[in-house]
Amino acid sequence: MISIEIHRNFPLKSLNTFGIEAKAEELVIVRSLAALHQLIQLKRSPIQVLGGGSNILFTGDLPGLTIKNEIDGIEVFIENKHDALIKVGGGVVWHDLVLWAVEQGFGGIENLSLIPGTVGAAPIQNIGAYGVELKDVFHSLEAYDLNTGESSVFHHSDCHFGYRDSVFKQELKGRFCIANVYLQLQKIPKINTAYGDIQRTLEGWDIKKPSIRDVSNAVIHIRQSKLPDPAVIGNAGSFFKNPELESVDFQRFSEKFPDAPNYSQPDGRVKVPAGWLIEKAGWKGKRFGDAGCHIKQALVLVNYGTAKGEEILALAKKIQASVLEQFGITLTPEVNVW
């Protein structure tokens, strides 16, 4: 029998990158599968799982039991000449995993450097950046049903990955705690520098044949130059998804706004940067008390100090209404609102 310490009325300000004041009625830090299984058997209700707190906006205190997933461990599970299947604990910090993979010479996730959060949250969000998404390297995961305590394995097709989306944000939302994630990484890396400013950054460093370490360093540099540090200003990174328009809708949009940046997608839709829409709508740098739209990146909503989650959410809704009125486009939050 494992000893489980239950913290009551636990302050969550340090456990969310927005820095929102909130409390968990009960909180337990879980570092092993045995502890997780035993905890679920306590039959608390409701139960929610907290990872790195980097993609969450608290709008009030959390009732019931909050599980803080800190299941650790990175290991090479299976490998051959070309690939390595790695097993990673759900509580591992995502960027720590990226640095480990780069050190091992395993390619596939270097473009996802410096994304905040934990490995267990990565499949839920299908995290992505600079031309790469989690689904591109995902193999499978092990998860525990928070209602029954039973374990399940989810393979790639089971997860229904979409743009910053998965089955765990839809029909299975709040049902599972992801204990371990398996990723298929390349032992002969395929370098991807085509997206964003990576190639330009590497050229500025006079790097003509980049390694995965070079790509990782470039992504870190770009992200640090564009996005505010949550340790300095509370934020959860991009608050909204970049909208994807059907071709006919984009045609009408582009006739009115021919200067709008856009990116054609494999399925025929066209992606328009949400940051551009928000900035053109006049929100960039706007501040309402301690809730605001970042002065350098309109896609990032920030907490300048003591903003409540409800204030951040109210600002987000005003931005959505404004963009819809001016452009006829509905912005969908990327951040999970609790």
PDB file of all heavy atoms in Angstrom, residues 3 14 20 30 39 68-69 77 99 105 110 124 128 138 151 177 181 196 206 237 239 245 254 271 277 292-293 327 329:
ATOM      1  N   SER A   3       1.622   5.195   0.477  1.00  0.00           N
ATOM      2  CA  SER A   3       1.106   6.326   1.245  1.00  0.00           C
ATOM      3  C   SER A   3       0.797   7.483   0.304  1.00  0.00           C
ATOM      4  O   SER A   3       1.654   7.901  -0.482  1.00  0.00           O
ATOM      5  CB  SER A   3       2.142   6.759   2.291  1.00  0.00           C
ATOM      6  OG  SER A   3       1.699   7.902   2.979  1.00  0.00           O
ATOM      7  N   SER A  14       1.260  28.980  -8.513  1.00  0.00           N
ATOM      8  CA  SER A  14       2.569  28.575  -9.039  1.00  0.00           C
ATOM      9  C   SER A  14       2.471  27.388  -9.992  1.00  0.00           C
ATOM     10  O   SER A  14       3.476  27.011 -10.614  1.00  0.00           O
ATOM     11  CB  SER A  14       3.516  28.218  -7.892  1.00  0.00           C
ATOM     12  OG  SER A  14       3.046  27.073  -7.188  1.00  0.00           O
ATOM     13  N   ILE A  20      -2.655  32.661 -12.268  1.00  0.00           N
ATOM     14  CA  ILE A  20      -3.981  32.977 -11.736  1.00  0.00           C
ATOM     15  C   ILE A  20      -4.119  32.404 -10.328  1.00  0.00           C
ATOM     16  O   ILE A  20      -3.736  31.267 -10.060  1.00  0.00           O
ATOM     17  CB  ILE A  20      -5.086  32.390 -12.638  1.00  0.00           C
ATOM     18  CG1 ILE A  20      -5.000  32.973 -14.056  1.00  0.00           C
ATOM     19  CG2 ILE A  20      -6.467  32.615 -12.038  1.00  0.00           C
ATOM     20  CD1 ILE A  20      -5.282  34.456 -14.152  1.00  0.00           C
ATOM     21  N   VAL A  30       1.255  12.778  -8.066  1.00  0.00           N
ATOM     22  CA  VAL A  30       1.403  11.362  -8.423  1.00  0.00           C
ATOM     23  C   VAL A  30       2.698  11.163  -9.201  1.00  0.00           C
ATOM     24  O   VAL A  30       2.917  11.815 -10.222  1.00  0.00           O
ATOM     25  CB  VAL A  30       0.203  10.886  -9.260  1.00  0.00           C
ATOM     26  CG1 VAL A  30       0.460   9.501  -9.834  1.00  0.00           C
ATOM     27  CG2 VAL A  30      -1.058  10.882  -8.411  1.00  0.00           C
ATOM     28  N   LEU A  39      -4.975   5.881  -6.199  1.00  0.00           N
ATOM     29  CA  LEU A  39      -5.682   7.145  -5.994  1.00  0.00           C
ATOM     30  C   LEU A  39      -7.055   7.125  -6.650  1.00  0.00           C
ATOM     31  O   LEU A  39      -8.052   7.570  -6.069  1.00  0.00           O
ATOM     32  CB  LEU A  39      -4.834   8.293  -6.550  1.00  0.00           C
ATOM     33  CG  LEU A  39      -5.361   9.714  -6.349  1.00  0.00           C
ATOM     34  CD1 LEU A  39      -5.481  10.039  -4.874  1.00  0.00           C
ATOM     35  CD2 LEU A  39      -4.433  10.718  -7.027  1.00  0.00           C
ATOM     36  N   LYS A  68      -1.879  15.948  -9.802  1.00  0.00           N
ATOM     37  CA  LYS A  68      -0.722  16.589 -10.433  1.00  0.00           C
ATOM     38  C   LYS A  68       0.180  15.470 -10.954  1.00  0.00           C
ATOM     39  O   LYS A  68       0.812  14.741 -10.208  1.00  0.00           O
ATOM     40  CB  LYS A  68       0.029  17.449  -9.414  1.00  0.00           C
ATOM     41  CG  LYS A  68       1.289  18.140  -9.974  1.00  0.00           C
ATOM     42  CD  LYS A  68       0.900  19.260 -10.912  1.00  0.00           C
ATOM     43  CE  LYS A  68       2.116  20.129 -11.279  1.00  0.00           C
ATOM     44  NZ  LYS A  68       3.114  19.412 -12.101  1.00  0.00           N
ATOM     45  N   ASN A  69       0.200  15.329 -12.281  1.00  0.00           N
ATOM     46  CA  ASN A  69       0.928  14.230 -12.910  1.00  0.00           C
ATOM     47  C   ASN A  69       2.424  14.529 -12.956  1.00  0.00           C
ATOM     48  O   ASN A  69       2.867  15.414 -13.683  1.00  0.00           O
ATOM     49  CB  ASN A  69       0.394  13.994 -14.326  1.00  0.00           C
ATOM     50  CG  ASN A  69       1.013  12.783 -14.997  1.00  0.00           C
ATOM     51  OD1 ASN A  69       1.942  12.161 -14.483  1.00  0.00           O
ATOM     52  ND2 ASN A  69       0.495  12.432 -16.166  1.00  0.00           N
ATOM     53  N   PHE A  77      12.713   2.212 -25.741  1.00  0.00           N
ATOM     54  CA  PHE A  77      11.913   0.996 -25.574  1.00  0.00           C
ATOM     55  C   PHE A  77      12.306  -0.067 -26.602  1.00  0.00           C
ATOM     56  O   PHE A  77      12.552  -1.217 -26.266  1.00  0.00           O
ATOM     57  CB  PHE A  77      10.431   1.368 -25.694  1.00  0.00           C
ATOM     58  CG  PHE A  77       9.490   0.313 -25.225  1.00  0.00           C
ATOM     59  CD1 PHE A  77       9.435  -0.049 -23.887  1.00  0.00           C
ATOM     60  CD2 PHE A  77       8.647  -0.334 -26.120  1.00  0.00           C
ATOM     61  CE1 PHE A  77       8.552  -1.028 -23.446  1.00  0.00           C
ATOM     62  CE2 PHE A  77       7.758  -1.306 -25.699  1.00  0.00           C
ATOM     63  CZ  PHE A  77       7.720  -1.658 -24.358  1.00  0.00           C
ATOM     64  N   LEU A  99      15.432  18.156 -25.305  1.00  0.00           N
ATOM     65  CA  LEU A  99      16.872  18.268 -25.088  1.00  0.00           C
ATOM     66  C   LEU A  99      17.520  16.884 -24.980  1.00  0.00           C
ATOM     67  O   LEU A  99      18.636  16.666 -25.485  1.00  0.00           O
ATOM     68  CB  LEU A  99      17.149  19.086 -23.824  1.00  0.00           C
ATOM     69  CG  LEU A  99      16.708  20.558 -23.865  1.00  0.00           C
ATOM     70  CD1 LEU A  99      17.027  21.240 -22.547  1.00  0.00           C
ATOM     71  CD2 LEU A  99      17.371  21.300 -25.019  1.00  0.00           C
ATOM     72  N   GLY A 105      20.809  12.284 -30.369  1.00  0.00           N
ATOM     73  CA  GLY A 105      20.849  12.294 -31.823  1.00  0.00           C
ATOM     74  C   GLY A 105      19.578  11.791 -32.466  1.00  0.00           C
ATOM     75  O   GLY A 105      19.561  11.433 -33.646  1.00  0.00           O
ATOM     76  N   GLU A 110      12.764  18.233 -32.605  1.00  0.00           N
ATOM     77  CA  GLU A 110      13.583  19.427 -32.372  1.00  0.00           C
ATOM     78  C   GLU A 110      12.856  20.714 -32.734  1.00  0.00           C
ATOM     79  O   GLU A 110      13.080  21.762 -32.124  1.00  0.00           O
ATOM     80  CB  GLU A 110      14.909  19.331 -33.141  1.00  0.00           C
ATOM     81  CG  GLU A 110      14.786  19.175 -34.641  1.00  0.00           C
ATOM     82  CD  GLU A 110      14.560  17.731 -35.088  1.00  0.00           C
ATOM     83  OE1 GLU A 110      14.469  16.827 -34.227  1.00  0.00           O
ATOM     84  OE2 GLU A 110      14.461  17.522 -36.311  1.00  0.00           O
ATOM     85  N   ILE A 124      -2.915  15.359 -25.909  1.00  0.00           N
ATOM     86  CA  ILE A 124      -4.238  15.979 -25.738  1.00  0.00           C
ATOM     87  C   ILE A 124      -4.365  17.174 -26.661  1.00  0.00           C
ATOM     88  O   ILE A 124      -5.356  17.338 -27.375  1.00  0.00           O
ATOM     89  CB  ILE A 124      -4.442  16.416 -24.266  1.00  0.00           C
ATOM     90  CG1 ILE A 124      -4.406  15.191 -23.346  1.00  0.00           C
ATOM     91  CG2 ILE A 124      -5.767  17.172 -24.110  1.00  0.00           C
ATOM     92  CD1 ILE A 124      -4.437  15.542 -21.870  1.00  0.00           C
ATOM     93  N   GLY A 128       2.138  21.566 -31.563  1.00  0.00           N
ATOM     94  CA  GLY A 128       2.807  21.734 -32.846  1.00  0.00           C
ATOM     95  C   GLY A 128       3.463  23.091 -32.960  1.00  0.00           C
ATOM     96  O   GLY A 128       3.081  24.044 -32.286  1.00  0.00           O
ATOM     97  N   PHE A 138       4.089  10.433 -33.038  1.00  0.00           N
ATOM     98  CA  PHE A 138       3.344   9.677 -32.023  1.00  0.00           C
ATOM     99  C   PHE A 138       3.169   8.223 -32.435  1.00  0.00           C
ATOM    100  O   PHE A 138       2.826   7.903 -33.574  1.00  0.00           O
ATOM    101  CB  PHE A 138       1.973  10.318 -31.805  1.00  0.00           C
ATOM    102  CG  PHE A 138       1.116   9.615 -30.791  1.00  0.00           C
ATOM    103  CD1 PHE A 138       1.241   9.898 -29.443  1.00  0.00           C
ATOM    104  CD2 PHE A 138       0.193   8.654 -31.186  1.00  0.00           C
ATOM    105  CE1 PHE A 138       0.450   9.242 -28.499  1.00  0.00           C
ATOM    106  CE2 PHE A 138      -0.596   8.000 -30.260  1.00  0.00           C
ATOM    107  CZ  PHE A 138      -0.461   8.292 -28.913  1.00  0.00           C
ATOM    108  N   SER A 151      -6.705   0.594 -17.137  1.00  0.00           N
ATOM    109  CA  SER A 151      -5.722   1.143 -18.063  1.00  0.00           C
ATOM    110  C   SER A 151      -6.101   0.797 -19.501  1.00  0.00           C
ATOM    111  O   SER A 151      -6.705  -0.253 -19.763  1.00  0.00           O
ATOM    112  CB  SER A 151      -4.324   0.611 -17.754  1.00  0.00           C
ATOM    113  OG  SER A 151      -4.278  -0.795 -17.923  1.00  0.00           O
ATOM    114  N   CYS A 177      -6.129   9.943 -17.457  1.00  0.00           N
ATOM    115  CA  CYS A 177      -4.825  10.474 -17.064  1.00  0.00           C
ATOM    116  C   CYS A 177      -3.782   9.727 -17.890  1.00  0.00           C
ATOM    117  O   CYS A 177      -3.698   8.489 -17.825  1.00  0.00           O
ATOM    118  CB  CYS A 177      -4.564  10.268 -15.581  1.00  0.00           C
ATOM    119  SG  CYS A 177      -2.921  10.837 -15.047  1.00  0.00           S
ATOM    120  N   VAL A 181       3.816   7.921 -22.735  1.00  0.00           N
ATOM    121  CA  VAL A 181       3.660   8.213 -24.161  1.00  0.00           C
ATOM    122  C   VAL A 181       4.822   7.566 -24.908  1.00  0.00           C
ATOM    123  O   VAL A 181       5.978   7.638 -24.463  1.00  0.00           O
ATOM    124  CB  VAL A 181       3.633   9.731 -24.417  1.00  0.00           C
ATOM    125  CG1 VAL A 181       3.547  10.025 -25.914  1.00  0.00           C
ATOM    126  CG2 VAL A 181       2.460  10.381 -23.684  1.00  0.00           C
ATOM    127  N   GLY A 196       8.443  29.083 -41.067  1.00  0.00           N
ATOM    128  CA  GLY A 196       8.746  30.236 -40.216  1.00  0.00           C
ATOM    129  C   GLY A 196      10.130  30.806 -40.462  1.00  0.00           C
ATOM    130  O   GLY A 196      10.619  30.851 -41.604  1.00  0.00           O
ATOM    131  N   ASP A 206      25.204  31.648 -40.178  1.00  0.00           N
ATOM    132  CA  ASP A 206      26.124  31.078 -41.169  1.00  0.00           C
ATOM    133  C   ASP A 206      26.208  29.548 -41.033  1.00  0.00           C
ATOM    134  O   ASP A 206      27.288  28.960 -41.158  1.00  0.00           O
ATOM    135  CB  ASP A 206      27.523  31.694 -41.043  1.00  0.00           C
ATOM    136  CG  ASP A 206      28.372  31.457 -42.294  1.00  0.00           C
ATOM    137  OD1 ASP A 206      27.785  31.329 -43.380  1.00  0.00           O
ATOM    138  OD2 ASP A 206      29.612  31.362 -42.179  1.00  0.00           O
ATOM    139  N   GLY A 237       0.933  31.301 -23.756  1.00  0.00           N
ATOM    140  CA  GLY A 237       1.302  31.252 -25.166  1.00  0.00           C
ATOM    141  C   GLY A 237       0.131  31.666 -26.037  1.00  0.00           C
ATOM    142  O   GLY A 237      -0.689  32.508 -25.650  1.00  0.00           O
ATOM    143  N   PHE A 239      -3.256  32.086 -27.402  1.00  0.00           N
ATOM    144  CA  PHE A 239      -4.556  31.847 -26.765  1.00  0.00           C
ATOM    145  C   PHE A 239      -5.557  31.255 -27.751  1.00  0.00           C
ATOM    146  O   PHE A 239      -6.429  30.485 -27.364  1.00  0.00           O
ATOM    147  CB  PHE A 239      -5.117  33.150 -26.193  1.00  0.00           C
ATOM    148  CG  PHE A 239      -6.227  32.928 -25.204  1.00  0.00           C
ATOM    149  CD1 PHE A 239      -5.958  32.815 -23.845  1.00  0.00           C
ATOM    150  CD2 PHE A 239      -7.540  32.799 -25.617  1.00  0.00           C
ATOM    151  CE1 PHE A 239      -6.973  32.575 -22.927  1.00  0.00           C
ATOM    152  CE2 PHE A 239      -8.576  32.567 -24.706  1.00  0.00           C
ATOM    153  CZ  PHE A 239      -8.285  32.455 -23.357  1.00  0.00           C
ATOM    154  N   LEU A 245      -9.766  28.277 -43.153  1.00  0.00           N
ATOM    155  CA  LEU A 245     -10.947  28.608 -43.934  1.00  0.00           C
ATOM    156  C   LEU A 245     -11.098  27.672 -45.127  1.00  0.00           C
ATOM    157  O   LEU A 245     -10.108  27.281 -45.757  1.00  0.00           O
ATOM    158  CB  LEU A 245     -10.857  30.053 -44.451  1.00  0.00           C
ATOM    159  CG  LEU A 245     -10.582  31.158 -43.422  1.00  0.00           C
ATOM    160  CD1 LEU A 245     -10.582  32.517 -44.108  1.00  0.00           C
ATOM    161  CD2 LEU A 245     -11.612  31.130 -42.306  1.00  0.00           C
ATOM    162  N   SER A 254     -10.157  37.053 -48.934  1.00  0.00           N
ATOM    163  CA  SER A 254      -8.980  37.657 -49.570  1.00  0.00           C
ATOM    164  C   SER A 254      -9.344  38.804 -50.508  1.00  0.00           C
ATOM    165  O   SER A 254      -8.532  39.702 -50.754  1.00  0.00           O
ATOM    166  CB  SER A 254      -8.180  36.598 -50.337  1.00  0.00           C
ATOM    167  OG  SER A 254      -8.947  36.031 -51.375  1.00  0.00           O
ATOM    168  N   LYS A 271      -5.040  28.525 -44.027  1.00  0.00           N
ATOM    169  CA  LYS A 271      -4.853  29.006 -42.662  1.00  0.00           C
ATOM    170  C   LYS A 271      -4.509  30.494 -42.682  1.00  0.00           C
ATOM    171  O   LYS A 271      -3.656  30.935 -43.444  1.00  0.00           O
ATOM    172  CB  LYS A 271      -3.733  28.215 -41.970  1.00  0.00           C
ATOM    173  CG  LYS A 271      -3.544  28.543 -40.505  1.00  0.00           C
ATOM    174  CD  LYS A 271      -2.455  27.681 -39.879  1.00  0.00           C
ATOM    175  CE  LYS A 271      -2.881  26.237 -39.770  1.00  0.00           C
ATOM    176  NZ  LYS A 271      -1.887  25.407 -39.036  1.00  0.00           N
ATOM    177  N   LEU A 277      -5.162  38.844 -37.488  1.00  0.00           N
ATOM    178  CA  LEU A 277      -6.553  39.284 -37.364  1.00  0.00           C
ATOM    179  C   LEU A 277      -6.749  40.128 -36.104  1.00  0.00           C
ATOM    180  O   LEU A 277      -7.396  41.180 -36.137  1.00  0.00           O
ATOM    181  CB  LEU A 277      -7.482  38.067 -37.325  1.00  0.00           C
ATOM    182  CG  LEU A 277      -7.518  37.178 -38.567  1.00  0.00           C
ATOM    183  CD1 LEU A 277      -8.267  35.888 -38.268  1.00  0.00           C
ATOM    184  CD2 LEU A 277      -8.164  37.922 -39.734  1.00  0.00           C
ATOM    185  N   GLY A 292      -4.495  41.763 -20.413  1.00  0.00           N
ATOM    186  CA  GLY A 292      -4.140  42.477 -21.624  1.00  0.00           C
ATOM    187  C   GLY A 292      -3.786  41.576 -22.786  1.00  0.00           C
ATOM    188  O   GLY A 292      -3.702  40.348 -22.668  1.00  0.00           O
ATOM    189  N   CYS A 293      -3.588  42.226 -23.938  1.00  0.00           N
ATOM    190  CA  CYS A 293      -3.123  41.585 -25.160  1.00  0.00           C
ATOM    191  C   CYS A 293      -1.676  42.031 -25.331  1.00  0.00           C
ATOM    192  O   CYS A 293      -1.391  43.227 -25.335  1.00  0.00           O
ATOM    193  CB  CYS A 293      -3.999  42.050 -26.325  1.00  0.00           C
ATOM    194  SG  CYS A 293      -3.756  41.165 -27.863  1.00  0.00           S
ATOM    195  N   PHE A 327     -14.116  40.618 -39.656  1.00  0.00           N
ATOM    196  CA  PHE A 327     -13.615  39.710 -40.685  1.00  0.00           C
ATOM    197  C   PHE A 327     -14.548  38.547 -41.002  1.00  0.00           C
ATOM    198  O   PHE A 327     -14.300  37.815 -41.959  1.00  0.00           O
ATOM    199  CB  PHE A 327     -12.247  39.147 -40.261  1.00  0.00           C
ATOM    200  CG  PHE A 327     -11.208  40.190 -40.016  1.00  0.00           C
ATOM    201  CD1 PHE A 327     -10.851  40.535 -38.719  1.00  0.00           C
ATOM    202  CD2 PHE A 327     -10.589  40.844 -41.072  1.00  0.00           C
ATOM    203  CE1 PHE A 327      -9.880  41.495 -38.476  1.00  0.00           C
ATOM    204  CE2 PHE A 327      -9.616  41.808 -40.850  1.00  0.00           C
ATOM    205  CZ  PHE A 327      -9.262  42.145 -39.553  1.00  0.00           C
ATOM    206  N   ILE A 329     -14.841  35.918 -39.203  1.00  0.00           N
ATOM    207  CA  ILE A 329     -14.109  34.710 -38.828  1.00  0.00           C
ATOM    208  C   ILE A 329     -14.240  34.485 -37.329  1.00  0.00           C
ATOM    209  O   ILE A 329     -14.038  35.409 -36.534  1.00  0.00           O
ATOM    210  CB  ILE A 329     -12.616  34.824 -39.211  1.00  0.00           C
ATOM    211  CG1 ILE A 329     -12.468  34.865 -40.738  1.00  0.00           C
ATOM    212  CG2 ILE A 329     -11.807  33.671 -38.628  1.00  0.00           C
ATOM    213  CD1 ILE A 329     -11.042  35.088 -41.203  1.00  0.00           C
TER     214      ILE A 329
END
